[in-house]
mmCIF file of all heavy atoms in Angstrom:
data_model
loop_
_atom_site.group_PDB
_atom_site.id
_atom_site.type_symbol
_atom_site.label_atom_id
_atom_site.label_comp_id
_atom_site.label_asym_id
_atom_site.label_seq_id
_atom_site.Cartn_x
_atom_site.Cartn_y
_atom_site.Cartn_z
ATOM 1 N N TYR A 1456 -210.993 -200.162 55.069
ATOM 2 C CA TYR A 1456 -212.208 -199.738 54.622
ATOM 3 C C TYR A 1456 -213.410 -199.960 55.614
ATOM 4 O O TYR A 1456 -214.257 -199.116 55.822
ATOM 5 C CB TYR A 1456 -212.555 -200.424 53.241
ATOM 6 C CG TYR A 1456 -213.967 -200.197 52.732
ATOM 7 C CD1 TYR A 1456 -214.342 -198.987 52.183
ATOM 8 C CD2 TYR A 1456 -215.035 -201.154 53.064
ATOM 9 C CE1 TYR A 1456 -215.618 -198.817 51.742
ATOM 10 C CE2 TYR A 1456 -216.292 -200.863 52.577
ATOM 11 C CZ TYR A 1456 -216.511 -199.742 51.971
ATOM 12 O OH TYR A 1456 -217.894 -199.501 51.429
ATOM 13 N N ILE A 1457 -213.394 -201.147 56.236
ATOM 14 C CA ILE A 1457 -214.575 -201.558 57.044
ATOM 15 C C ILE A 1457 -214.544 -200.608 58.263
ATOM 16 O O ILE A 1457 -215.628 -200.172 58.843
ATOM 17 C CB ILE A 1457 -214.587 -202.940 57.406
ATOM 18 C CG1 ILE A 1457 -213.471 -203.469 58.199
ATOM 19 C CG2 ILE A 1457 -214.713 -203.861 56.176
ATOM 20 C CD1 ILE A 1457 -213.541 -204.868 58.691
ATOM 21 N N ILE A 1458 -213.258 -200.377 58.912
ATOM 22 C CA ILE A 1458 -213.393 -199.521 60.094
ATOM 23 C C ILE A 1458 -213.642 -198.052 59.879
ATOM 24 O O ILE A 1458 -214.380 -197.441 60.616
ATOM 25 C CB ILE A 1458 -211.842 -199.666 60.736
ATOM 26 C CG1 ILE A 1458 -211.738 -201.070 61.384
ATOM 27 C CG2 ILE A 1458 -211.675 -198.569 61.793
ATOM 28 C CD1 ILE A 1458 -210.401 -201.229 62.070
ATOM 29 N N ASN A 1459 -213.205 -197.637 58.646
ATOM 30 C CA ASN A 1459 -213.615 -196.282 58.211
ATOM 31 C C ASN A 1459 -215.146 -196.162 57.856
ATOM 32 O O ASN A 1459 -215.851 -195.127 58.232
ATOM 33 C CB ASN A 1459 -212.772 -195.742 57.162
ATOM 34 C CG ASN A 1459 -211.339 -195.436 57.558
ATOM 35 O OD1 ASN A 1459 -211.047 -195.185 58.714
ATOM 36 N ND2 ASN A 1459 -210.360 -195.596 56.542
ATOM 37 N N ASP A 1460 -215.559 -197.148 57.167
ATOM 38 C CA ASP A 1460 -216.995 -197.093 56.720
ATOM 39 C C ASP A 1460 -217.864 -197.214 57.973
ATOM 40 O O ASP A 1460 -218.982 -196.591 57.982
ATOM 41 C CB ASP A 1460 -217.234 -198.219 55.811
ATOM 42 C CG ASP A 1460 -218.676 -198.195 55.107
ATOM 43 O OD1 ASP A 1460 -218.953 -197.223 54.426
ATOM 44 O OD2 ASP A 1460 -219.455 -199.170 55.296
ATOM 45 N N ALA A 1461 -217.551 -198.052 58.989
ATOM 46 C CA ALA A 1461 -218.344 -198.057 60.169
ATOM 47 C C ALA A 1461 -218.206 -196.949 61.114
ATOM 48 O O ALA A 1461 -218.986 -196.779 62.109
ATOM 49 C CB ALA A 1461 -218.010 -199.401 60.935
ATOM 50 N N ALA A 1462 -217.076 -196.073 60.871
ATOM 51 C CA ALA A 1462 -216.871 -194.967 61.697
ATOM 52 C C ALA A 1462 -216.661 -195.343 63.261
ATOM 53 O O ALA A 1462 -217.196 -194.768 64.153
ATOM 54 C CB ALA A 1462 -217.931 -193.849 61.643
ATOM 55 N N ASP A 1463 -215.809 -196.437 63.401
ATOM 56 C CA ASP A 1463 -215.604 -196.902 64.728
ATOM 57 C C ASP A 1463 -214.758 -195.860 65.555
ATOM 58 O O ASP A 1463 -213.835 -195.291 65.075
ATOM 59 C CB ASP A 1463 -214.804 -198.176 64.657
ATOM 60 C CG ASP A 1463 -215.481 -199.312 63.946
ATOM 61 O OD1 ASP A 1463 -216.833 -199.471 64.207
ATOM 62 O OD2 ASP A 1463 -214.908 -200.050 63.182
ATOM 63 N N SER A 1464 -215.221 -195.695 66.797
ATOM 64 C CA SER A 1464 -214.494 -194.738 67.758
ATOM 65 C C SER A 1464 -213.337 -195.400 68.468
ATOM 66 O O SER A 1464 -212.365 -194.739 68.729
ATOM 67 C CB SER A 1464 -215.481 -194.228 68.675
ATOM 68 O OG SER A 1464 -216.497 -193.559 68.124
ATOM 69 N N VAL A 1465 -213.508 -196.678 68.914
ATOM 70 C CA VAL A 1465 -212.474 -197.297 69.705
ATOM 71 C C VAL A 1465 -212.278 -198.700 69.185
ATOM 72 O O VAL A 1465 -213.241 -199.309 68.640
ATOM 73 C CB VAL A 1465 -213.013 -197.515 71.146
ATOM 74 C CG1 VAL A 1465 -211.934 -198.181 72.009
ATOM 75 C CG2 VAL A 1465 -213.415 -196.085 71.770
ATOM 76 N N VAL A 1466 -210.951 -199.160 69.085
ATOM 77 C CA VAL A 1466 -210.641 -200.525 68.645
ATOM 78 C C VAL A 1466 -210.208 -201.357 69.791
ATOM 79 O O VAL A 1466 -209.188 -200.996 70.426
ATOM 80 C CB VAL A 1466 -209.636 -200.423 67.545
ATOM 81 C CG1 VAL A 1466 -209.222 -201.853 67.146
ATOM 82 C CG2 VAL A 1466 -210.106 -199.711 66.295
ATOM 83 N N PHE A 1467 -210.935 -202.477 70.143
ATOM 84 C CA PHE A 1467 -210.481 -203.410 71.072
ATOM 85 C C PHE A 1467 -209.810 -204.604 70.257
ATOM 86 O O PHE A 1467 -210.339 -205.091 69.393
ATOM 87 C CB PHE A 1467 -211.678 -203.909 71.894
ATOM 88 C CG PHE A 1467 -212.325 -202.970 72.834
ATOM 89 C CD1 PHE A 1467 -213.104 -201.934 72.350
ATOM 90 C CD2 PHE A 1467 -212.137 -203.056 74.170
ATOM 91 C CE1 PHE A 1467 -213.765 -200.965 73.148
ATOM 92 C CE2 PHE A 1467 -212.692 -202.114 75.038
ATOM 93 C CZ PHE A 1467 -213.460 -201.090 74.590
ATOM 94 N N LEU A 1468 -208.611 -204.934 70.772
ATOM 95 C CA LEU A 1468 -207.932 -205.915 69.993
ATOM 96 C C LEU A 1468 -207.174 -206.917 70.800
ATOM 97 O O LEU A 1468 -206.569 -206.539 71.916
ATOM 98 C CB LEU A 1468 -206.914 -205.264 69.064
ATOM 99 C CG LEU A 1468 -205.803 -204.467 69.668
ATOM 100 C CD1 LEU A 1468 -204.534 -204.455 68.749
ATOM 101 C CD2 LEU A 1468 -206.204 -203.032 69.911
ATOM 102 N N ASP A 1469 -207.095 -208.163 70.412
ATOM 103 C CA ASP A 1469 -206.310 -209.152 71.068
ATOM 104 C C ASP A 1469 -204.754 -208.888 70.796
ATOM 105 O O ASP A 1469 -204.412 -208.406 69.680
ATOM 106 C CB ASP A 1469 -206.614 -210.571 70.542
ATOM 107 C CG ASP A 1469 -207.831 -211.204 71.189
ATOM 108 O OD1 ASP A 1469 -208.261 -210.699 72.291
ATOM 109 O OD2 ASP A 1469 -208.332 -212.211 70.661
ATOM 110 N N PRO A 1470 -203.926 -209.205 71.728
ATOM 111 C CA PRO A 1470 -202.398 -208.967 71.576
ATOM 112 C C PRO A 1470 -201.832 -209.553 70.248
ATOM 113 O O PRO A 1470 -201.077 -208.900 69.582
ATOM 114 C CB PRO A 1470 -201.798 -209.646 72.734
ATOM 115 C CG PRO A 1470 -202.822 -209.565 73.812
ATOM 116 C CD PRO A 1470 -204.196 -209.755 73.099
ATOM 117 N N PRO A 1471 -202.285 -210.731 69.754
ATOM 118 C CA PRO A 1471 -201.757 -211.195 68.490
ATOM 119 C C PRO A 1471 -201.982 -210.288 67.298
ATOM 120 O O PRO A 1471 -201.418 -210.477 66.290
ATOM 121 C CB PRO A 1471 -202.377 -212.578 68.307
ATOM 122 C CG PRO A 1471 -202.790 -213.004 69.633
ATOM 123 C CD PRO A 1471 -203.182 -211.776 70.320
ATOM 124 N N PHE A 1472 -203.040 -209.432 67.375
ATOM 125 C CA PHE A 1472 -203.405 -208.579 66.338
ATOM 126 C C PHE A 1472 -202.876 -207.165 66.354
ATOM 127 O O PHE A 1472 -203.338 -206.197 65.709
ATOM 128 C CB PHE A 1472 -204.875 -208.475 66.084
ATOM 129 C CG PHE A 1472 -205.550 -209.929 65.892
ATOM 130 C CD1 PHE A 1472 -206.491 -210.373 66.800
ATOM 131 C CD2 PHE A 1472 -204.969 -210.750 64.897
ATOM 132 C CE1 PHE A 1472 -207.111 -211.715 66.572
ATOM 133 C CE2 PHE A 1472 -205.490 -212.087 64.772
ATOM 134 C CZ PHE A 1472 -206.495 -212.506 65.556
ATOM 135 N N VAL A 1473 -202.069 -206.919 67.325
ATOM 136 C CA VAL A 1473 -201.409 -205.531 67.519
ATOM 137 C C VAL A 1473 -200.751 -205.148 66.185
ATOM 138 O O VAL A 1473 -200.898 -204.054 65.730
ATOM 139 C CB VAL A 1473 -200.363 -205.421 68.648
ATOM 140 C CG1 VAL A 1473 -199.584 -204.184 68.652
ATOM 141 C CG2 VAL A 1473 -201.161 -205.571 69.996
ATOM 142 N N GLU A 1474 -199.924 -206.062 65.592
ATOM 143 C CA GLU A 1474 -199.225 -205.598 64.398
ATOM 144 C C GLU A 1474 -200.072 -205.365 63.252
ATOM 145 O O GLU A 1474 -200.062 -204.361 62.576
ATOM 146 C CB GLU A 1474 -198.254 -206.779 63.952
ATOM 147 C CG GLU A 1474 -197.470 -206.516 62.749
ATOM 148 C CD GLU A 1474 -196.530 -207.602 62.347
ATOM 149 O OE1 GLU A 1474 -196.328 -208.693 63.187
ATOM 150 O OE2 GLU A 1474 -195.917 -207.555 61.293
ATOM 151 N N LYS A 1475 -201.247 -206.212 63.169
ATOM 152 C CA LYS A 1475 -202.178 -205.938 62.042
ATOM 153 C C LYS A 1475 -202.832 -204.581 62.150
ATOM 154 O O LYS A 1475 -202.980 -203.863 61.196
ATOM 155 C CB LYS A 1475 -203.312 -207.035 62.097
ATOM 156 C CG LYS A 1475 -204.466 -206.854 61.103
ATOM 157 C CD LYS A 1475 -204.155 -207.061 59.697
ATOM 158 C CE LYS A 1475 -205.328 -207.047 58.771
ATOM 159 N NZ LYS A 1475 -204.963 -207.278 57.321
ATOM 160 N N VAL A 1476 -203.283 -204.246 63.386
ATOM 161 C CA VAL A 1476 -203.956 -202.949 63.563
ATOM 162 C C VAL A 1476 -202.981 -201.791 63.436
ATOM 163 O O VAL A 1476 -203.218 -200.743 62.721
ATOM 164 C CB VAL A 1476 -204.634 -202.921 64.932
ATOM 165 C CG1 VAL A 1476 -205.080 -201.509 65.298
ATOM 166 C CG2 VAL A 1476 -205.725 -203.986 65.065
ATOM 167 N N ALA A 1477 -201.728 -202.050 63.968
ATOM 168 C CA ALA A 1477 -200.812 -200.855 63.889
ATOM 169 C C ALA A 1477 -200.350 -200.504 62.455
ATOM 170 O O ALA A 1477 -200.213 -199.334 62.180
ATOM 171 C CB ALA A 1477 -199.612 -201.325 64.744
ATOM 172 N N GLN A 1478 -200.218 -201.533 61.594
ATOM 173 C CA GLN A 1478 -199.846 -201.253 60.218
ATOM 174 C C GLN A 1478 -200.929 -200.580 59.434
ATOM 175 O O GLN A 1478 -200.642 -200.137 58.375
ATOM 176 C CB GLN A 1478 -199.305 -202.496 59.554
ATOM 177 C CG GLN A 1478 -200.334 -203.570 59.224
ATOM 178 C CD GLN A 1478 -199.846 -204.862 58.795
ATOM 179 O OE1 GLN A 1478 -198.724 -205.121 58.980
ATOM 180 N NE2 GLN A 1478 -200.611 -205.607 58.126
ATOM 181 N N ASN A 1479 -202.107 -200.485 59.951
ATOM 182 C CA ASN A 1479 -203.184 -199.842 59.280
ATOM 183 C C ASN A 1479 -203.686 -198.619 60.040
ATOM 184 O O ASN A 1479 -204.544 -197.859 59.429
ATOM 185 C CB ASN A 1479 -204.319 -200.858 59.116
ATOM 186 C CG ASN A 1479 -204.029 -201.946 58.131
ATOM 187 O OD1 ASN A 1479 -204.087 -201.743 56.937
ATOM 188 N ND2 ASN A 1479 -203.780 -203.122 58.688
ATOM 189 N N ALA A 1480 -203.253 -198.298 61.202
ATOM 190 C CA ALA A 1480 -203.782 -197.335 62.034
ATOM 191 C C ALA A 1480 -203.699 -195.892 61.426
ATOM 192 O O ALA A 1480 -204.628 -195.122 61.706
ATOM 193 C CB ALA A 1480 -203.080 -197.301 63.450
ATOM 194 N N ASP A 1481 -202.666 -195.674 60.693
ATOM 195 C CA ASP A 1481 -202.595 -194.244 60.117
ATOM 196 C C ASP A 1481 -203.629 -193.976 59.125
ATOM 197 O O ASP A 1481 -203.955 -192.775 58.788
ATOM 198 C CB ASP A 1481 -201.224 -194.143 59.313
ATOM 199 C CG ASP A 1481 -199.925 -194.026 60.251
ATOM 200 O OD1 ASP A 1481 -200.230 -193.775 61.416
ATOM 201 O OD2 ASP A 1481 -198.826 -194.154 59.803
ATOM 202 N N GLU A 1482 -204.335 -195.052 58.608
ATOM 203 C CA GLU A 1482 -205.422 -194.823 57.640
ATOM 204 C C GLU A 1482 -206.805 -194.731 58.245
ATOM 205 O O GLU A 1482 -207.778 -194.483 57.583
ATOM 206 C CB GLU A 1482 -205.429 -195.932 56.614
ATOM 207 C CG GLU A 1482 -204.154 -196.168 55.907
ATOM 208 C CD GLU A 1482 -203.724 -195.051 55.135
ATOM 209 O OE1 GLU A 1482 -204.571 -194.293 54.414
ATOM 210 O OE2 GLU A 1482 -202.423 -194.635 55.076
ATOM 211 N N PHE A 1483 -206.897 -195.016 59.623
ATOM 212 C CA PHE A 1483 -208.102 -194.892 60.285
ATOM 213 C C PHE A 1483 -208.508 -193.554 60.499
ATOM 214 O O PHE A 1483 -207.798 -192.702 61.029
ATOM 215 C CB PHE A 1483 -208.162 -195.665 61.604
ATOM 216 C CG PHE A 1483 -207.779 -197.080 61.553
ATOM 217 C CD1 PHE A 1483 -207.244 -197.803 62.720
ATOM 218 C CD2 PHE A 1483 -207.989 -197.907 60.430
ATOM 219 C CE1 PHE A 1483 -206.933 -199.085 62.629
ATOM 220 C CE2 PHE A 1483 -207.818 -199.229 60.360
ATOM 221 C CZ PHE A 1483 -207.218 -199.890 61.418
ATOM 222 N N GLU A 1484 -209.810 -193.168 60.172
ATOM 223 C CA GLU A 1484 -210.249 -191.759 60.173
ATOM 224 C C GLU A 1484 -210.995 -191.388 61.406
ATOM 225 O O GLU A 1484 -211.144 -190.195 61.699
ATOM 226 C CB GLU A 1484 -211.192 -191.587 59.003
ATOM 227 C CG GLU A 1484 -210.420 -191.763 57.532
ATOM 228 C CD GLU A 1484 -211.443 -191.839 56.387
ATOM 229 O OE1 GLU A 1484 -212.613 -191.690 56.693
ATOM 230 O OE2 GLU A 1484 -210.911 -192.025 55.393
ATOM 231 N N SER A 1485 -211.569 -192.290 62.147
ATOM 232 C CA SER A 1485 -212.504 -192.034 63.223
ATOM 233 C C SER A 1485 -211.926 -192.637 64.573
ATOM 234 O O SER A 1485 -212.533 -192.181 65.587
ATOM 235 C CB SER A 1485 -213.855 -192.614 62.966
ATOM 236 O OG SER A 1485 -213.843 -194.029 62.745
ATOM 237 N N VAL A 1486 -211.049 -193.491 64.585
ATOM 238 C CA VAL A 1486 -210.528 -194.107 65.879
ATOM 239 C C VAL A 1486 -209.874 -193.117 66.768
ATOM 240 O O VAL A 1486 -208.900 -192.414 66.364
ATOM 241 C CB VAL A 1486 -209.684 -195.334 65.551
ATOM 242 C CG1 VAL A 1486 -209.151 -196.020 66.727
ATOM 243 C CG2 VAL A 1486 -210.407 -196.321 64.698
ATOM 244 N N GLU A 1487 -210.290 -193.123 68.060
ATOM 245 C CA GLU A 1487 -209.701 -192.261 68.984
ATOM 246 C C GLU A 1487 -208.980 -192.949 70.076
ATOM 247 O O GLU A 1487 -208.282 -192.320 70.940
ATOM 248 C CB GLU A 1487 -210.765 -191.220 69.550
ATOM 249 C CG GLU A 1487 -211.454 -190.382 68.509
ATOM 250 C CD GLU A 1487 -212.573 -189.589 69.180
ATOM 251 O OE1 GLU A 1487 -212.963 -189.776 70.220
ATOM 252 O OE2 GLU A 1487 -213.171 -188.750 68.376
ATOM 253 N N GLN A 1488 -209.261 -194.160 70.235
ATOM 254 C CA GLN A 1488 -208.580 -194.973 71.378
ATOM 255 C C GLN A 1488 -208.396 -196.464 71.007
ATOM 256 O O GLN A 1488 -209.241 -196.971 70.236
ATOM 257 C CB GLN A 1488 -209.661 -194.946 72.547
ATOM 258 C CG GLN A 1488 -209.191 -195.724 73.831
ATOM 259 C CD GLN A 1488 -208.064 -195.125 74.578
ATOM 260 O OE1 GLN A 1488 -208.098 -193.899 74.871
ATOM 261 N NE2 GLN A 1488 -206.898 -195.835 74.735
#
């Protein structure tokens, strides 16, 4: 919800959070990179 509500274009992430981001990535509406 927060990534979609903020309309984030790029997600910068630490390696330990790759799994967290990946398991939600299909639901992101604005992320391009």
Side-chain angles (χ1 to χ4, degrees):
Y1456 171 80
I1457 65 173
I1458 288 180
N1459 289 333
D1460 187 59
D1463 297 321
S1464 301
V1465 182
V1466 175
F1467 290 77
L1468 63 150
D1469 277 344
F1472 302 127
V1473 167
E1474 181 179 352
K1475 173 73 175 184
V1476 173
Q1478 69 189 21
N1479 291 282
D1481 287 346
E1482 303 301 323
F1483 297 156
E1484 299 168 357
S1485 56
V1486 177
E1487 299 176 351
Q1488 177 73 53

